[in-house]
Amino acid sequence: MLTAQRTLIGASGTRRDGGFSLIEVLVALVVLSVGLLGLAALQSTATQFNASAYVRSQATILAYDMADRIRANRQAGLTGAYNSPYPGVLPTCNAAVAGTVIQQDLAGWRRSLACALPNGNGEVAFVGDATNGGVLTIRVRWDESRDPGNANVEQFEMTTGL
């Protein structure tokens, strides 16, 4: 059986075998491990930012949804009938929707906020009059934290003419 071994001759004329030592292998493993930990941390951060961007997109869509509901019932919107501050109790995802068109719009919108956003809530404010129009402000709040004991309330505000 033939075997090949690499033999190096140094400057002093002595023979030494070439290859990797155990220390070199361990150093390479440490470098690789640190790189993989950094990659895992980067992936975790990217996932958190992606989830946050998704929630912000939902808040924006739902604010525009309420503005469209008010534009569909413009005369009531111009009289301030849709004005509604944040309710004291957070809306639930399975809340019943009943009452007048305005009550149904507000209740349905708040139910959508509760279903799409963590601790989602919203308010509507119209400043103006039925003759000259005015400014409609819609605010959406939600809890951005992942820890129930540590609230991190975010808010999206949309202002538009009516």
Side-chain angles (χ1 to χ4, degrees):
M1 167 154 80
L2 293 173
T3 59
Q5 182 176 9
R6 202 170 89 179
T7 304
L8 300 175
I9 299 177
S12 62
T14 59
R15 278 180 36 166
R16 64 183 177 92
D17 291 331
F20 291 107
S21 69
L22 187 58
I23 292 175
E24 289 171 329
V25 171
L26 290 175
V27 168
L29 283 174
V30 167
V31 169
L32 181 66
S33 298
V34 169
L36 289 176
L37 285 173
L39 186 62
L42 181 67
Q43 182 68 28
S44 173
T45 303
T47 302
Q48 288 176 353
F49 285 144
N50 191 19
S52 177
Y54 174 76
V55 170
R56 287 181 186 279
S57 296
Q58 292 301 310
T60 304
I61 290 167
L62 290 168
Y64 277 92
D65 173 55
M66 189 64 210
D68 289 340
R69 290 177 191 233
I70 294 172
R71 285 189 184 107
N73 194 1
R74 189 167 189 270
Q75 288 306 314
L78 289 172
T79 63
Y82 277 92
N83 286 356
S84 176
Y86 289 109
V89 177
L90 286 174
T92 60
C93 189
N94 57 2
V97 178
T100 65
V101 171
I102 296 166
Q103 291 169 338
Q104 288 177 12
D105 283 346
L106 288 169
W109 178 61
R110 286 201 170 109
R111 184 182 69 203
S112 297
L113 290 173
C115 292
L117 307 173
N119 292 332
N121 202 349
E123 78 172 355
V124 177
F126 175 74
V127 177
D129 58 48
T131 307
N132 300 321
V135 176
L136 176 65
T137 303
I138 299 171
R139 292 181 188 89
V140 177
R141 285 186 188 165
W142 67 93
D143 184 6
E144 189 71 25
S145 71
R146 308 228 185 303
D147 179 15
N150 185 17
N152 181 17
V153 177
E154 292 288 328
Q155 177 172 298
F156 172 77
E157 181 175 314
M158 182 189 98
T159 304
T160 185
L162 188 61

